[in-house]
Amino acid sequence: MRRWRTGLIAGLLAGTASLVAAAPASAAAGCRVEYRTTAQWPGGFGAAVDVTNLGDPVSSWTLTFAFPSGQTVTQLWNGSVTQSGADVTVRNAGWNGSLATSATASFGFNGSGTAVAPTAFSLNGTACNGGTTPPGNEPVKIMALGDSITGSPGCWRALLWQKLPADRVDFVGTLPGQGCGFPYDGENEGHGGFLATTVADQNQLAGWLAATDPDVVLMHFGTNDVWSNLPPSTILAAFTKLVTQMRTQNPAMRILVAQIIGMNASNCADCGRRVIDLNAAIPAWAAGLSTAASPITVVDQWTGFDTATDTYDGVHPNDAGNVKIADRWYPAVAAAIE
């Protein structure tokens, strides 16, 4: 089924228990909950939740879940909320309690604490932990990690998504997608202006991983580090720390690392040579860190990429460049989701 995924699919269930006391004992129960982080700020976050009834129609609903890290709901809309310790109970508002089969109710909230998603939900006392998606066939969650080349707007991600089977992939990230001319699954971690070394030094990736729990990471990172004249050894040390954090989150993480596209910036005459030096060091670094459980695949984005025809400013890809980047990622991503 084609849908534009925008967050973390938390669970699916099909069973035979009653959803509400008024329903007959034989009523079919089932639910899907989609939880996504919509904003983050120091000490707080925003989230949106979609509750889809996969069972028989219900006239009211109660969703329960537990926060994993001491978070607290501070404001909630489109429902009412109570919280006892980590345990949260959300009840429908007066206008969204009736849910036909396959109908969805949505609510949002602001919270204090870190943006770490709950891992289990129950609808009217029935756990959401299985259902219409066959076990083992859940979409592969893919995080695109990098700087503005990845995220501002990073339309190579949209083109790559078009090439992949929509029911097999879920692009994830704490940043929303931007307009690329057609609907696509746009969440990402493409942070404009960021350095890989800064993300590593400040442990920023750990929070992004916890919020989205990817299975695959595509990393095109290092352009701003090169611009800042950091040596390849320093950049690769940061890459190593990022890989360690990925594997801490998921010991079977599949990691795709780009040899980054070229640079020909008017105010950085040496950047082109620095990119070549970094890219030359990446294969040996990857080979030394790759494991059978968590392989690192190097994707050559540099060869054949022409800064004169494939960028609009010597650094950021134009439409032609986006096509080339998507085409280069595709074989490695297709292999990673098999």
Side-chain angles (χ1 to χ4, degrees):
M1 179 178 66
R2 184 178 294 270
R3 61 174 296 182
W4 321 128
R5 285 185 172 81
T6 56
L8 170 68
I9 299 296
L12 300 167
L13 173 128
T16 58
S18 173
L19 283 178
V20 291
S26 60
C31 59
R32 178 174 64 242
V33 175
E34 185 173 341
Y35 179 106
R36 57 195 181 277
T37 300
T38 57
Q40 295 185 72
W41 56 88
F45 63 98
V49 182
D50 296 331
V51 184
T52 301
N53 176 29
L54 301 179
D56 287 347
V58 299
S59 58
S60 64
W61 55 265
T62 299
L63 187 76
T64 57
F65 58 90
F67 279 127
S69 304
Q71 298 93 334
T72 302
V73 176
T74 57
Q75 180 186 23
L76 184 138
W77 47 94
N78 296 337
S80 62
V81 62
T82 58
Q83 183 168 352
S84 176
D87 297 324
V88 178
T89 300
V90 179
R91 293 179 174 84
N92 61 270
W95 62 88
N96 64 358
S98 179
L99 288 179
T101 303
S102 299
T104 298
S106 302
F107 64 88
F109 66 88
N110 293 329
S112 64
T114 56
V116 181
T119 58
F121 298 83
S122 293
L123 180 65
N124 292 353
T126 302
C128 296
N129 58 10
T132 58
T133 300
N137 289 341
E138 294 83 3
V140 178
K141 291 180 285 186
I142 300 173
M143 173 190 284
L145 172 65
D147 46 45
S148 59
I149 292 170
T150 296
S152 300
C155 288
W156 61 261
R157 291 181 291 102
L159 297 174
L160 175 61
W161 178 85
Q162 277 192 324
K163 296 166 72 71
L164 297 167
D167 61 345
R168 288 287 294 122
V169 297
D170 179 11
F171 278 62
V172 299
T174 61
L175 298 177
Q178 299 184 34
C180 290
F182 57 87
Y184 70 103
D185 188 357
E187 286 72 25
N188 68 95
E189 297 296 350
H191 297 263
F194 278 36
L195 281 69
T197 48
T198 301
V199 170
D201 290 344
Q202 297 182 1
N203 295 313
Q204 293 170 303
L205 179 60
W208 304 336
L209 292 167
T212 59
D213 194 25
D215 305 299
V216 178
V217 174
L218 320 182
M219 189 168 75
H220 186 290
F221 224 166
T223 298
N224 292 308
D225 303 83
V226 166
W227 195 295
S228 299
N229 200 21
L230 297 177
S233 58
T234 300
I235 301 171
L236 294 178
F239 283 9
T240 298
K241 184 173 181 179
L242 298 179
V243 167
T244 299
Q245 292 176 338
M246 295 174 199
R247 290 171 173 169
T248 297
Q249 176 69 25
N250 179 356
M253 188 76 77
R254 284 153 281 173
I255 304 165
L256 280 55
V257 177
Q259 290 174 291
I260 64 175
I261 63 174
M263 296 175 65
N264 185 23
S266 59
N267 54 348
C268 185
D270 294 334
C271 279
R273 169 51 57 185
R274 296 175 199 163
V275 167
I276 292 172
D277 292 343
L278 172 62
N279 285 339
I282 286 176
W285 164 84
L289 205 58
S290 187
T291 67
S294 176
I296 300 175
T297 301
V298 177
V299 177
D300 182 4
Q301 293 285 0
W302 187 86
T303 301
F305 192 93
D306 187 340
T307 57
T309 59
D310 297 329
T311 74
Y312 60 83
D313 61 356
V315 179
H316 298 90
N318 58 19
D319 289 346
N322 283 321
V323 170
K324 284 187 176 181
I325 293 172
D327 287 348
R328 286 296 178 91
W329 279 123
Y330 174 72
V333 176
I337 67 174
E338 290 180 353

